[in-house]
Amino acid sequence: MKIKGLIFDLDGVLVSTEKNHFIAWKKTAERLGSDFTEMDNEQLKGISRVDSLKKIITLAGATVSTEYFEELLVFKNEIYLDSIRTLGPGDALAGVLELLQHAKAHDIKLGVGSSSKNANAILELLQIKDLFDAIIDGNGVSAPKPDPEVFLNAAQGMGLSAADCLVFEDAESGILAAKAGGFKVIATGNPHVAELADAYVDTLTDFNLSLYEKSL
Ligand code: B16
Ligand code: MG
């Protein structure tokens, strides 16, 4: 079967910004008098900024006013943005550029389906934004992952149906979103979620599209 479109999650798939998110959330949790571990962070991967903060507040056993909630969102995002300022073309994860180039050479459409409201800025820093036919981010959806909307909108923006596309994800919420939308999913970079997806590769260097198509 021929794949006509590839849809990439951003954080943890195209670029390893998950660590930056983690550090910024850890500092936010400290303001709530709470510790925040990498295990806790697993639950936040792929989910929106607002839903992430709600989980951290629950973990901290805290209650906050609407004003303080907004202040914490700004606080986290400022730390995060400051930490990614120096991202550049060399920071795309292993195998990303090769896979994007392979797709371009074979007339395969490219999309991004990310929960991040900072996705466009990061794609610009990586200097890969122009390669994509559709970019759907946290600003363009009403229902965040695990709802399939972000991936369905990306497929629609590429003029394709879910059955024609492959989604690449690193997070449980993202894999569930893609599966709910009827997509085949390749998990990458996070062995914890491997069994939820149709296939798993440590890095995109290990992914061979022609071989995968033959297995379908
Ligand atoms: P922002 P993805 C997600 O991006 C991240 O995995 C998650 O850690 C983050 O909280 C979320 O974006 C929102 O990001 O605060 O930049 O809007 O993995 O869906 O590309
Ligand atoms: Mg991700």
Side-chain angles (χ1 to χ4, degrees):
M1 189 203 144
K2 268 270 169 251
I3 297 292
K4 296 181 184 158
L6 305 180
I7 304 176
F8 296 85
D9 171 59
L10 177 77
D11 295 301
V13 172
L14 294 177
V15 60
S16 72
T17 36
E18 286 303 354
K19 187 86 187 170
N20 305 65
H21 280 296
F22 168 62
I23 291 167
W25 282 129
K26 193 169 172 65
K27 289 188 178 149
T28 310
E30 277 164 15
R31 285 190 63 179
L32 295 164
S34 174
D35 192 20
F36 182 68
T37 65
E38 295 217 35
M39 275 300 259
D40 297 328
N41 194 54
E42 270 306 305
Q43 296 178 45
L44 304 190
K45 284 185 180 173
I47 70 168
S48 70
R49 200 180 309 165
V50 165
D51 286 345
S52 300
L53 182 54
K54 283 182 186 162
K55 279 203 192 266
I56 286 173
I57 289 168
T58 306
L59 281 171
T63 0
V64 302
S65 65
T66 313
E67 292 73 25
Y68 194 44
F69 190 92
E70 291 303 320
E71 184 185 323
L72 290 173
L73 285 180
V74 172
F75 175 79
K76 185 270 174 176
N77 198 44
E78 280 175 354
I79 296 171
Y80 176 67
L81 286 180
D82 192 49
S83 77
I84 58 161
R85 262 184 309 128
T86 53
L87 278 182
D91 290 308
L93 278 166
V96 165
L97 298 180
E98 292 80 357
L99 185 53
L100 297 179
Q101 276 152 13
H102 174 90
K104 280 282 163 201
H106 292 80
D107 252 349
I108 294 166
K109 295 252 190 288
L110 291 171
V112 170
S114 168
S115 298
S116 176
K117 293 188 170 176
N118 297 304
N120 274 282
I122 293 172
L123 292 169
E124 264 167 26
L125 287 169
L126 297 176
Q127 294 181 18
I128 56 174
K129 190 174 167 213
D130 294 344
L131 296 175
F132 292 96
D133 302 285
I135 297 171
I136 310 296
D137 66 9
N139 301 295
V141 289
S142 50
K145 298 173 188 175
D147 190 282
E149 185 184 355
V150 66
F151 293 124
L152 291 172
N153 287 358
Q156 192 180 38
M158 294 153 71
L160 297 173
S161 68
D164 294 325
C165 301
L166 258 189
V167 168
F168 294 85
E169 257 293 350
D170 71 314
E172 178 173 338
S173 60
I175 295 171
L176 297 178
K179 292 304 254 174
F183 295 86
K184 288 258 189 271
V185 192
I186 310 295
T188 182
N190 182 2
H192 297 112
V193 297
E195 76 286 355
L196 298 173
D198 295 290
Y200 176 78
V201 286
D202 266 328
T203 76
L204 292 183
T205 316
D206 303 328
F207 182 74
N208 182 315
L209 182 60
S210 313
L211 272 184
Y212 184 73
E213 283 176 329
K214 282 187 190 131
S215 76
L216 292 174

